[in-house]
Amino acid sequence: RNMDWHDDLTLMKHDINVVPQSIQAQNLLGIHLLTNSFAISDAGQQNTMRLEAVEHIKKANTLNPGFFNYNYDLGRAYTLLNMPDSALIYFKVAGEIDTNYRDVSINIANILLNKRNYTDAIPYFIKLIQKDPNNYQLYAQLSFAYFNVKQFGLSIQTNELAIKRFPNQLQPYVNIATCYTMTNSNDSARVWLNKALILSPGNPDILNHLKNMK
């Protein structure tokens, strides 16, 4: 086997032909291909390696269905391949196997948000905030989802919760003002924009927003 020991990946690719039904061998080769793809500068070669990784991890998943790691790693691989629909399938399966692994919910929520499937993304962000209430980004994403389905009251509530935990964050004040603007409640919008100016005196965007409301 010394002739095949150029590196770990070369050796694994040789050995997989000897043990094609080995769950561990298929998975390890898939993970190594995925990991080594980051060292490739050419995008085409990188994607080719990641597609090869998918096939081996899929094989492991077929040989041992219902295992969390294989489904999660397939989700990761398809995300890297910019194939969100496929990634979503496997992340959802992984989420059913392990309901407590936070990264799965984050990946699902972000994919849904990027696909503009705001209604389905909302429950994931709600649960994520319950588990991680000190993560401002989650509040921002939830309020954004509510805003895009025109649930302005819930978007306002989410931003108010964010302000309670992160009083020095400027964006929730502006978000609330924007929601009030959308409902033609300009007086309320001005109140929140003026609160935002206390945090960021002379902010040109906020001043311009106030000027356009006059």
Side-chain angles (χ1 to χ4, degrees):
R1 297 174 71 219
N2 286 348
M3 296 297 292
D4 300 304
W5 214 309
H6 175 69
D7 53 40
D8 288 347
L9 196 56
T10 304
L11 185 63
M12 287 180 181
K13 284 187 176 184
H14 171 268
D15 286 355
I16 200 67
N17 297 313
V18 181
V19 286
Q21 298 303 307
S22 169
I23 299 168
Q24 185 177 16
Q26 292 286 355
N27 182 56
L28 282 174
L29 177 53
I31 295 301
H32 272 71
L33 284 163
L34 206 58
T35 302
N36 279 270
S37 72
F38 289 101
I40 305 296
S41 57
D42 182 84
Q45 292 179 10
Q46 193 176 61
N47 280 350
T48 297
M49 186 175 286
R50 288 169 179 173
L51 285 168
E52 189 180 351
V54 163
E55 292 309 309
H56 289 289
I57 302 171
K58 271 188 176 179
K59 180 67 174 179
N61 198 35
T62 301
L63 292 167
N64 184 26
F67 190 60
F68 171 83
N69 287 39
Y70 305 154
N71 287 283
Y72 179 68
D73 288 333
L74 283 168
R76 288 196 307 123
Y78 278 121
T79 299
L80 291 169
L81 287 163
N82 195 27
M83 299 172 69
D85 292 332
S86 296
L88 192 59
I89 291 169
Y90 288 101
F91 279 135
K92 283 186 173 181
V93 173
E96 291 171 1
I97 297 168
D98 186 345
T99 58
N100 294 315
Y101 195 62
R102 177 175 168 272
D103 282 1
V104 172
S105 294
I106 289 175
N107 280 295
I108 293 173
N110 285 330
I111 290 172
L112 291 170
L113 201 67
N114 290 333
K115 285 168 61 66
R116 300 184 181 180
N117 190 344
Y118 303 114
T119 300
D120 288 345
I122 285 168
Y124 285 97
F125 284 117
I126 291 173
K127 290 180 181 178
L128 284 164
I129 287 172
Q130 289 171 349
K131 293 180 179 180
D132 187 11
N134 293 317
N135 186 334
Y136 168 71
Q137 184 62 25
L138 296 174
Y139 293 88
Q141 290 171 306
L142 178 58
S143 70
F144 179 75
Y146 277 135
F147 183 87
N148 278 280
V149 294
K150 301 187 186 306
Q151 294 190 37
F152 301 119
L154 290 173
S155 184
I156 288 170
Q157 288 178 23
T158 303
N159 282 291
E160 287 175 339
L161 288 172
I163 288 169
K164 287 181 181 178
R165 287 195 172 269
F166 315 96
N168 294 321
Q169 278 282 357
L170 177 65
Q171 195 57 46
Y173 295 88
V174 177
N175 290 345
I176 292 173
T178 302
C179 286
Y180 278 122
T181 301
M182 295 298 294
T183 59
N184 296 315
S185 302
N186 287 345
D187 287 344
S188 296
R190 288 189 187 93
V191 169
W192 285 96
L193 288 172
N194 283 312
K195 288 182 179 181
L197 280 175
I198 295 172
L199 284 179
S200 181
N203 185 295
D205 292 330
I206 298 171
L207 290 172
N208 190 51
H209 195 162
L210 280 166
K211 181 181 179 180
N212 290 335
M213 291 172 59
K214 293 179 179 179

